[in-house]
Amino acid sequence: MKILSWFFGQKPKPKKSVEAWKIKLQNKPDWELNAIARNPGEFVVEVRRAAAEILQQRIAG
């Protein structure tokens, strides 16, 4: 499926939303969320965004 998306110039749709990842990641420790948020090669954008948002909420509140 990714090959067809690449060929036709469309981005593949994410399998999980940022909100779905937030639920899954909310119990992770800060160091692990920080590693996820800063690692662009291993995780999809939605996972990194969810980890970054959770860290921001913890710092703010």
Short mmCIF file of all heavy atoms in Angstrom, two decimals:
data_model
loop_
_atom_site.label_atom_id
_atom_site.label_comp_id
_atom_site.label_asym_id
_atom_site.label_seq_id
_atom_site.Cartn_x
_atom_site.Cartn_y
_atom_site.Cartn_z
N MET A 1 0.82 -1.19 0.00
CA MET A 1 0.00 0.00 0.00
C MET A 1 0.86 1.26 0.00
O MET A 1 0.52 2.23 -0.63
CB MET A 1 -0.93 -0.02 1.20
CG MET A 1 -1.94 1.12 1.19
SD MET A 1 -3.03 1.12 -0.22
CE MET A 1 -4.42 0.30 0.45
N LYS A 2 1.99 1.22 0.71
CA LYS A 2 2.86 2.39 0.75
C LYS A 2 3.45 2.68 -0.62
O LYS A 2 3.66 3.83 -0.97
CB LYS A 2 3.98 2.18 1.76
CG LYS A 2 3.52 2.23 3.19
CD LYS A 2 4.68 2.10 4.13
CE LYS A 2 4.21 2.13 5.55
NZ LYS A 2 5.31 2.04 6.49
N ILE A 3 3.70 1.66 -1.39
CA ILE A 3 4.26 1.85 -2.72
C ILE A 3 3.26 2.58 -3.61
O ILE A 3 3.62 3.51 -4.33
CB ILE A 3 4.68 0.51 -3.35
CG1 ILE A 3 5.85 -0.09 -2.57
CG2 ILE A 3 5.07 0.68 -4.81
CD1 ILE A 3 6.22 -1.47 -2.98
N LEU A 4 2.01 2.20 -3.55
CA LEU A 4 0.99 2.87 -4.34
C LEU A 4 0.82 4.32 -3.91
O LEU A 4 0.66 5.21 -4.75
CB LEU A 4 -0.35 2.13 -4.24
CG LEU A 4 -0.41 0.76 -4.90
CD1 LEU A 4 -1.75 0.11 -4.62
CD2 LEU A 4 -0.17 0.87 -6.39
N SER A 5 0.88 4.55 -2.61
CA SER A 5 0.77 5.93 -2.11
C SER A 5 1.95 6.77 -2.60
O SER A 5 1.79 7.91 -2.98
CB SER A 5 0.74 5.94 -0.58
OG SER A 5 -0.40 5.29 -0.11
N TRP A 6 3.13 6.19 -2.57
CA TRP A 6 4.31 6.89 -3.06
C TRP A 6 4.19 7.17 -4.55
O TRP A 6 4.49 8.26 -5.02
CB TRP A 6 5.56 6.07 -2.78
CG TRP A 6 6.80 6.67 -3.36
CD1 TRP A 6 7.50 7.72 -2.85
CD2 TRP A 6 7.45 6.28 -4.55
NE1 TRP A 6 8.56 7.99 -3.65
CE2 TRP A 6 8.56 7.12 -4.72
CE3 TRP A 6 7.23 5.28 -5.49
CZ2 TRP A 6 9.43 7.00 -5.79
CZ3 TRP A 6 8.09 5.17 -6.56
CH2 TRP A 6 9.18 6.03 -6.70
N PHE A 7 3.74 6.19 -5.31
CA PHE A 7 3.62 6.32 -6.75
C PHE A 7 2.62 7.40 -7.15
O PHE A 7 2.87 8.18 -8.06
CB PHE A 7 3.21 4.97 -7.35
CG PHE A 7 3.16 4.97 -8.85
CD1 PHE A 7 4.32 5.04 -9.60
CD2 PHE A 7 1.95 4.93 -9.51
CE1 PHE A 7 4.28 5.05 -10.98
CE2 PHE A 7 1.89 4.94 -10.88
CZ PHE A 7 3.06 4.99 -11.63
N PHE A 8 1.51 7.48 -6.46
CA PHE A 8 0.47 8.45 -6.79
C PHE A 8 0.62 9.76 -6.02
O PHE A 8 -0.20 10.66 -6.16
CB PHE A 8 -0.92 7.86 -6.54
CG PHE A 8 -1.26 6.77 -7.52
CD1 PHE A 8 -1.36 5.46 -7.09
CD2 PHE A 8 -1.47 7.05 -8.85
CE1 PHE A 8 -1.66 4.45 -7.99
CE2 PHE A 8 -1.77 6.05 -9.76
CZ PHE A 8 -1.87 4.75 -9.32
N GLY A 9 1.64 9.88 -5.19
CA GLY A 9 1.91 11.13 -4.50
C GLY A 9 1.00 11.40 -3.32
O GLY A 9 0.86 12.54 -2.89
N GLN A 10 0.40 10.39 -2.74
CA GLN A 10 -0.47 10.57 -1.60
C GLN A 10 0.23 10.07 -0.34
O GLN A 10 0.97 9.10 -0.39
CB GLN A 10 -1.77 9.80 -1.77
CG GLN A 10 -2.58 10.24 -2.96
CD GLN A 10 -3.76 9.30 -3.19
OE1 GLN A 10 -3.82 8.22 -2.64
NE2 GLN A 10 -4.69 9.74 -4.01
N LYS A 11 -0.03 10.73 0.78
CA LYS A 11 0.51 10.26 2.04
C LYS A 11 -0.38 9.15 2.57
O LYS A 11 -1.60 9.25 2.50
CB LYS A 11 0.56 11.39 3.06
CG LYS A 11 1.60 12.42 2.76
CD LYS A 11 1.68 13.42 3.89
CE LYS A 11 2.79 14.39 3.64
NZ LYS A 11 2.92 15.33 4.74
N PRO A 12 0.22 8.10 3.11
CA PRO A 12 -0.62 7.06 3.72
C PRO A 12 -1.30 7.59 4.97
O PRO A 12 -0.74 8.42 5.69
CB PRO A 12 0.38 5.95 4.06
CG PRO A 12 1.71 6.60 4.07
CD PRO A 12 1.63 7.79 3.16
N LYS A 13 -2.49 7.13 5.23
CA LYS A 13 -3.24 7.57 6.40
C LYS A 13 -2.67 6.89 7.64
O LYS A 13 -2.31 5.72 7.60
CB LYS A 13 -4.72 7.22 6.26
CG LYS A 13 -5.40 7.98 5.16
CD LYS A 13 -6.85 7.62 5.06
CE LYS A 13 -7.50 8.36 3.91
NZ LYS A 13 -8.89 7.99 3.72
N PRO A 14 -2.59 7.61 8.75
CA PRO A 14 -2.08 7.00 9.98
C PRO A 14 -3.04 5.92 10.48
O PRO A 14 -4.25 6.03 10.33
CB PRO A 14 -1.99 8.15 10.96
CG PRO A 14 -2.90 9.19 10.42
CD PRO A 14 -2.95 9.00 8.94
N LYS A 15 -2.48 4.89 11.07
CA LYS A 15 -3.31 3.81 11.59
C LYS A 15 -3.97 4.19 12.91
O LYS A 15 -5.05 3.75 13.22
CB LYS A 15 -2.47 2.55 11.75
CG LYS A 15 -1.99 2.02 10.43
CD LYS A 15 -1.21 0.76 10.59
CE LYS A 15 -0.77 0.29 9.21
NZ LYS A 15 -0.06 -0.94 9.24
N LYS A 16 -3.29 5.02 13.70
CA LYS A 16 -3.85 5.50 14.97
C LYS A 16 -3.70 7.02 15.01
O LYS A 16 -2.75 7.58 14.51
CB LYS A 16 -3.08 4.92 16.15
CG LYS A 16 -3.37 3.48 16.44
CD LYS A 16 -2.69 3.10 17.74
CE LYS A 16 -2.93 1.66 18.07
NZ LYS A 16 -2.29 1.28 19.34
N SER A 17 -4.63 7.65 15.66
CA SER A 17 -4.58 9.10 15.80
C SER A 17 -3.68 9.47 16.98
O SER A 17 -3.29 8.63 17.78
CB SER A 17 -5.98 9.66 16.03
OG SER A 17 -6.45 9.24 17.30
N VAL A 18 -3.37 10.75 17.09
CA VAL A 18 -2.59 11.25 18.21
C VAL A 18 -3.32 10.96 19.52
O VAL A 18 -2.70 10.55 20.51
CB VAL A 18 -2.32 12.77 18.05
CG1 VAL A 18 -1.65 13.34 19.29
CG2 VAL A 18 -1.47 13.04 16.82
N GLU A 19 -4.62 11.15 19.52
CA GLU A 19 -5.41 10.90 20.74
C GLU A 19 -5.35 9.42 21.16
O GLU A 19 -5.26 9.12 22.34
CB GLU A 19 -6.86 11.34 20.54
CG GLU A 19 -7.00 12.84 20.31
CD GLU A 19 -6.41 13.69 21.41
OE1 GLU A 19 -6.58 13.34 22.60
OE2 GLU A 19 -5.76 14.69 21.09
N ALA A 20 -5.39 8.52 20.20
CA ALA A 20 -5.29 7.09 20.52
C ALA A 20 -3.92 6.76 21.10
O ALA A 20 -3.81 5.97 22.04
CB ALA A 20 -5.56 6.26 19.27
N TRP A 21 -2.88 7.38 20.56
CA TRP A 21 -1.53 7.16 21.09
C TRP A 21 -1.37 7.75 22.47
O TRP A 21 -0.66 7.20 23.32
CB TRP A 21 -0.47 7.72 20.14
CG TRP A 21 -0.19 6.79 19.00
CD1 TRP A 21 -0.48 6.99 17.69
CD2 TRP A 21 0.44 5.50 19.07
NE1 TRP A 21 -0.07 5.92 16.94
CE2 TRP A 21 0.50 4.99 17.77
CE3 TRP A 21 0.95 4.74 20.11
CZ2 TRP A 21 1.05 3.74 17.48
CZ3 TRP A 21 1.50 3.49 19.82
CH2 TRP A 21 1.54 3.02 18.52
N LYS A 22 -2.02 8.89 22.73
CA LYS A 22 -1.94 9.50 24.06
C LYS A 22 -2.45 8.54 25.13
O LYS A 22 -1.87 8.43 26.21
CB LYS A 22 -2.75 10.79 24.12
CG LYS A 22 -2.05 11.98 23.56
CD LYS A 22 -2.93 13.20 23.80
CE LYS A 22 -2.37 14.45 23.26
NZ LYS A 22 -3.25 15.59 23.49
N ILE A 23 -3.55 7.87 24.83
CA ILE A 23 -4.12 6.92 25.78
C ILE A 23 -3.13 5.80 26.06
O ILE A 23 -2.95 5.38 27.21
CB ILE A 23 -5.46 6.37 25.24
CG1 ILE A 23 -6.50 7.49 25.20
CG2 ILE A 23 -5.95 5.20 26.08
CD1 ILE A 23 -7.76 7.13 24.44
N LYS A 24 -2.48 5.34 25.02
CA LYS A 24 -1.54 4.23 25.17
C LYS A 24 -0.26 4.64 25.89
O LYS A 24 0.34 3.85 26.60
CB LYS A 24 -1.21 3.66 23.79
CG LYS A 24 -0.45 2.38 23.83
CD LYS A 24 -0.42 1.71 22.49
CE LYS A 24 0.25 0.36 22.64
NZ LYS A 24 0.12 -0.45 21.47
N LEU A 25 0.17 5.90 25.71
CA LEU A 25 1.44 6.35 26.26
C LEU A 25 1.34 7.07 27.59
O LEU A 25 2.37 7.39 28.19
CB LEU A 25 2.12 7.30 25.25
CG LEU A 25 2.52 6.72 23.91
CD1 LEU A 25 3.03 7.82 23.00
CD2 LEU A 25 3.56 5.64 24.08
N GLN A 26 0.16 7.35 28.09
CA GLN A 26 0.01 8.21 29.26
C GLN A 26 0.68 7.68 30.52
O GLN A 26 1.04 8.45 31.40
CB GLN A 26 -1.46 8.53 29.53
CG GLN A 26 -2.29 7.37 29.97
CD GLN A 26 -3.74 7.76 30.08
OE1 GLN A 26 -4.11 8.90 29.85
NE2 GLN A 26 -4.58 6.82 30.43
N ASN A 27 0.86 6.39 30.65
CA ASN A 27 1.47 5.83 31.86
C ASN A 27 2.98 5.63 31.74
O ASN A 27 3.59 5.10 32.67
CB ASN A 27 0.80 4.50 32.22
CG ASN A 27 -0.64 4.70 32.62
OD1 ASN A 27 -0.99 5.72 33.21
ND2 ASN A 27 -1.48 3.76 32.29
N LYS A 28 3.57 6.05 30.64
CA LYS A 28 5.01 5.90 30.45
C LYS A 28 5.74 6.95 31.27
O LYS A 28 5.25 8.06 31.47
CB LYS A 28 5.39 6.07 28.97
CG LYS A 28 4.75 5.08 28.04
CD LYS A 28 5.45 3.78 28.09
CE LYS A 28 4.86 2.84 27.03
NZ LYS A 28 5.39 1.52 27.08
N PRO A 29 6.96 6.64 31.74
CA PRO A 29 7.73 7.64 32.49
C PRO A 29 8.23 8.76 31.56
O PRO A 29 8.31 8.58 30.34
CB PRO A 29 8.90 6.83 33.05
CG PRO A 29 8.98 5.60 32.22
CD PRO A 29 7.60 5.35 31.68
N ASP A 30 8.58 9.88 32.17
CA ASP A 30 9.01 11.06 31.41
C ASP A 30 10.21 10.76 30.52
O ASP A 30 10.27 11.23 29.38
CB ASP A 30 9.35 12.21 32.34
CG ASP A 30 8.11 12.83 32.96
OD1 ASP A 30 6.99 12.48 32.54
OD2 ASP A 30 8.28 13.68 33.85
N TRP A 31 11.19 10.01 31.03
CA TRP A 31 12.39 9.75 30.24
C TRP A 31 12.05 8.99 28.96
O TRP A 31 12.64 9.23 27.90
CB TRP A 31 13.45 9.00 31.05
CG TRP A 31 13.06 7.60 31.43
CD1 TRP A 31 12.46 7.21 32.58
CD2 TRP A 31 13.24 6.43 30.64
NE1 TRP A 31 12.24 5.85 32.57
CE2 TRP A 31 12.71 5.35 31.38
CE3 TRP A 31 13.77 6.17 29.39
CZ2 TRP A 31 12.72 4.04 30.90
CZ3 TRP A 31 13.78 4.86 28.92
CH2 TRP A 31 13.26 3.81 29.67
N GLU A 32 11.08 8.07 29.05
CA GLU A 32 10.70 7.28 27.87
C GLU A 32 9.92 8.14 26.87
O GLU A 32 10.14 8.05 25.66
CB GLU A 32 9.87 6.08 28.30
CG GLU A 32 9.70 5.05 27.21
CD GLU A 32 9.08 3.76 27.71
OE1 GLU A 32 8.91 3.59 28.94
OE2 GLU A 32 8.76 2.93 26.86
N LEU A 33 9.03 9.00 27.37
CA LEU A 33 8.30 9.91 26.49
C LEU A 33 9.26 10.88 25.80
O LEU A 33 9.10 11.18 24.62
CB LEU A 33 7.25 10.69 27.29
CG LEU A 33 6.08 9.88 27.82
CD1 LEU A 33 5.21 10.74 28.72
CD2 LEU A 33 5.26 9.30 26.69
N ASN A 34 10.25 11.35 26.52
CA ASN A 34 11.24 12.25 25.95
C ASN A 34 12.02 11.55 24.84
O ASN A 34 12.27 12.14 23.78
CB ASN A 34 12.19 12.75 27.04
CG ASN A 34 12.99 13.93 26.60
OD1 ASN A 34 12.62 14.64 25.68
ND2 ASN A 34 14.09 14.17 27.28
N ALA A 35 12.39 10.30 25.05
CA ALA A 35 13.10 9.55 24.03
C ALA A 35 12.23 9.33 22.79
O ALA A 35 12.71 9.44 21.66
CB ALA A 35 13.56 8.20 24.59
N ILE A 36 10.97 9.06 22.99
CA ILE A 36 10.04 8.87 21.87
C ILE A 36 9.86 10.17 21.10
O ILE A 36 9.92 10.18 19.87
CB ILE A 36 8.68 8.35 22.38
CG1 ILE A 36 8.80 6.91 22.89
CG2 ILE A 36 7.62 8.41 21.27
CD1 ILE A 36 7.59 6.40 23.63
N ALA A 37 9.68 11.26 21.81
CA ALA A 37 9.43 12.55 21.16
C ALA A 37 10.63 13.03 20.35
O ALA A 37 10.47 13.70 19.33
CB ALA A 37 9.06 13.59 22.21
N ARG A 38 11.83 12.68 20.77
CA ARG A 38 13.04 13.18 20.11
C ARG A 38 13.62 12.22 19.07
O ARG A 38 14.62 12.55 18.45
CB ARG A 38 14.10 13.50 21.15
CG ARG A 38 13.70 14.65 22.02
CD ARG A 38 14.73 14.88 23.09
NE ARG A 38 14.30 15.95 23.96
CZ ARG A 38 14.89 17.12 24.02
NH1 ARG A 38 15.92 17.39 23.27
NH2 ARG A 38 14.44 18.05 24.84
N ASN A 39 13.06 11.05 18.88
CA ASN A 39 13.62 10.07 17.97
C ASN A 39 12.82 10.04 16.67
O ASN A 39 11.81 9.35 16.57
CB ASN A 39 13.61 8.68 18.61
CG ASN A 39 14.38 7.67 17.81
OD1 ASN A 39 14.69 7.89 16.64
ND2 ASN A 39 14.68 6.56 18.44
N PRO A 40 13.26 10.76 15.63
CA PRO A 40 12.50 10.85 14.40
C PRO A 40 12.55 9.60 13.52
O PRO A 40 11.74 9.44 12.64
CB PRO A 40 13.12 12.04 13.67
CG PRO A 40 14.52 12.06 14.16
CD PRO A 40 14.46 11.60 15.59
N GLY A 41 13.48 8.72 13.76
CA GLY A 41 13.63 7.58 12.87
C GLY A 41 12.84 6.35 13.25
O GLY A 41 12.48 5.54 12.41
N GLU A 42 12.57 6.19 14.53
CA GLU A 42 12.00 4.93 14.99
C GLU A 42 10.47 4.96 15.12
O GLU A 42 9.83 3.94 14.97
CB GLU A 42 12.61 4.59 16.36
CG GLU A 42 12.23 3.22 16.85
CD GLU A 42 12.98 2.85 18.12
OE1 GLU A 42 13.99 3.49 18.44
OE2 GLU A 42 12.53 1.92 18.78
N PHE A 43 9.90 6.11 15.37
CA PHE A 43 8.48 6.20 15.64
C PHE A 43 7.76 7.03 14.58
O PHE A 43 8.35 7.90 13.96
CB PHE A 43 8.24 6.84 17.01
CG PHE A 43 8.90 6.08 18.13
CD1 PHE A 43 10.08 6.53 18.68
CD2 PHE A 43 8.36 4.91 18.61
CE1 PHE A 43 10.70 5.84 19.70
CE2 PHE A 43 8.97 4.21 19.63
CZ PHE A 43 10.14 4.67 20.18
N VAL A 44 6.48 6.77 14.40
CA VAL A 44 5.69 7.55 13.46
C VAL A 44 5.39 8.92 14.07
O VAL A 44 5.48 9.11 15.28
CB VAL A 44 4.37 6.82 13.08
CG1 VAL A 44 4.64 5.54 12.32
CG2 VAL A 44 3.52 6.55 14.30
N VAL A 45 5.02 9.84 13.22
CA VAL A 45 4.78 11.23 13.64
C VAL A 45 3.73 11.30 14.73
O VAL A 45 3.89 12.05 15.70
CB VAL A 45 4.36 12.08 12.42
CG1 VAL A 45 3.98 13.48 12.85
CG2 VAL A 45 5.47 12.11 11.40
N GLU A 46 2.68 10.54 14.63
CA GLU A 46 1.59 10.60 15.61
C GLU A 46 2.06 10.18 17.00
O GLU A 46 1.64 10.75 18.00
CB GLU A 46 0.41 9.73 15.16
CG GLU A 46 -0.31 10.26 13.95
CD GLU A 46 0.40 9.97 12.63
OE1 GLU A 46 1.25 9.08 12.59
OE2 GLU A 46 0.11 10.67 11.65
N VAL A 47 2.94 9.18 17.06
CA VAL A 47 3.45 8.72 18.36
C VAL A 47 4.33 9.81 18.98
O VAL A 47 4.21 10.12 20.17
CB VAL A 47 4.27 7.42 18.20
CG1 VAL A 47 4.87 6.99 19.52
CG2 VAL A 47 3.42 6.32 17.64
N ARG A 48 5.20 10.40 18.18
CA ARG A 48 6.08 11.45 18.69
C ARG A 48 5.28 12.66 19.14
O ARG A 48 5.57 13.27 20.18
CB ARG A 48 7.10 11.85 17.62
CG ARG A 48 8.09 10.75 17.32
CD ARG A 48 9.28 11.19 16.52
NE ARG A 48 9.04 12.23 15.55
CZ ARG A 48 8.90 12.02 14.24
NH1 ARG A 48 8.95 10.81 13.75
NH2 ARG A 48 8.71 13.03 13.43
N ARG A 49 4.26 13.04 18.37
CA ARG A 49 3.43 14.18 18.74
C ARG A 49 2.68 13.91 20.04
O ARG A 49 2.58 14.78 20.91
CB ARG A 49 2.44 14.50 17.61
CG ARG A 49 1.70 15.80 17.83
CD ARG A 49 0.83 16.16 16.65
NE ARG A 49 1.64 16.35 15.46
CZ ARG A 49 1.25 16.04 14.23
NH1 ARG A 49 0.05 15.55 14.01
NH2 ARG A 49 2.04 16.23 13.20
N ALA A 50 2.15 12.71 20.19
CA ALA A 50 1.43 12.35 21.41
C ALA A 50 2.35 12.39 22.62
O ALA A 50 1.99 12.94 23.67
CB ALA A 50 0.81 10.95 21.27
N ALA A 51 3.56 11.87 22.48
CA ALA A 51 4.52 11.89 23.58
C ALA A 51 4.89 13.32 23.96
O ALA A 51 4.95 13.66 25.14
CB ALA A 51 5.78 11.10 23.19
N ALA A 52 5.10 14.17 22.96
CA ALA A 52 5.45 15.57 23.23
C ALA A 52 4.31 16.30 23.93
O ALA A 52 4.54 17.09 24.86
CB ALA A 52 5.81 16.27 21.92
N GLU A 53 3.08 16.04 23.52
CA GLU A 53 1.92 16.70 24.15
C GLU A 53 1.74 16.25 25.59
O GLU A 53 1.41 17.05 26.46
CB GLU A 53 0.66 16.45 23.33
CG GLU A 53 0.64 17.22 22.02
CD GLU A 53 -0.60 16.96 21.19
OE1 GLU A 53 -1.59 16.39 21.71
OE2 GLU A 53 -0.59 17.33 20.00
N ILE A 54 1.96 14.97 25.87
CA ILE A 54 1.86 14.47 27.25
C ILE A 54 2.92 15.13 28.12
O ILE A 54 2.64 15.56 29.24
CB ILE A 54 1.99 12.93 27.29
CG1 ILE A 54 0.77 12.27 26.64
CG2 ILE A 54 2.15 12.44 28.72
CD1 ILE A 54 0.91 10.78 26.42
N LEU A 55 4.15 15.24 27.60
CA LEU A 55 5.21 15.89 28.36
C LEU A 55 4.88 17.36 28.63
O LEU A 55 5.11 17.85 29.75
CB LEU A 55 6.53 15.80 27.61
CG LEU A 55 7.25 14.45 27.69
CD1 LEU A 55 8.42 14.42 26.72
CD2 LEU A 55 7.71 14.18 29.11
N GLN A 56 4.34 18.06 27.65
CA GLN A 56 3.95 19.46 27.85
C GLN A 56 2.90 19.59 28.94
O GLN A 56 2.95 20.50 29.77
CB GLN A 56 3.38 20.05 26.55
CG GLN A 56 4.43 20.55 25.62
CD GLN A 56 3.78 21.22 24.41
OE1 GLN A 56 2.71 20.81 23.96
NE2 GLN A 56 4.43 22.22 23.87
N GLN A 57 1.92 18.69 28.94
CA GLN A 57 0.86 18.74 29.95
C GLN A 57 1.43 18.48 31.34
O GLN A 57 1.02 19.10 32.32
CB GLN A 57 -0.22 17.71 29.64
CG GLN A 57 -1.06 18.07 28.45
CD GLN A 57 -2.03 16.96 28.07
OE1 GLN A 57 -1.99 15.87 28.62
NE2 GLN A 57 -2.89 17.24 27.09
N ARG A 58 2.39 17.55 31.45
CA ARG A 58 2.99 17.24 32.75
C ARG A 58 3.80 18.43 33.27
O ARG A 58 3.80 18.71 34.47
CB ARG A 58 3.87 16.01 32.65
CG ARG A 58 3.08 14.74 32.51
CD ARG A 58 3.98 13.53 32.48
NE ARG A 58 3.20 12.31 32.26
CZ ARG A 58 3.76 11.11 32.12
NH1 ARG A 58 5.06 10.97 32.17
NH2 ARG A 58 2.99 10.07 31.92
N ILE A 59 4.50 19.10 32.39
CA ILE A 59 5.30 20.25 32.78
C ILE A 59 4.41 21.41 33.21
O ILE A 59 4.66 22.08 34.20
CB ILE A 59 6.25 20.69 31.64
CG1 ILE A 59 7.34 19.61 31.45
CG2 ILE A 59 6.89 22.03 31.93
CD1 ILE A 59 8.17 19.81 30.20
N ALA A 60 3.32 21.63 32.45
CA ALA A 60 2.41 22.74 32.73
C ALA A 60 1.56 22.51 33.97
O ALA A 60 1.14 23.45 34.62
CB ALA A 60 1.50 22.99 31.52
N GLY A 61 1.27 21.25 34.26
CA GLY A 61 0.32 21.03 35.33
C GLY A 61 0.83 20.27 36.44
O GLY A 61 0.48 20.09 37.49
#
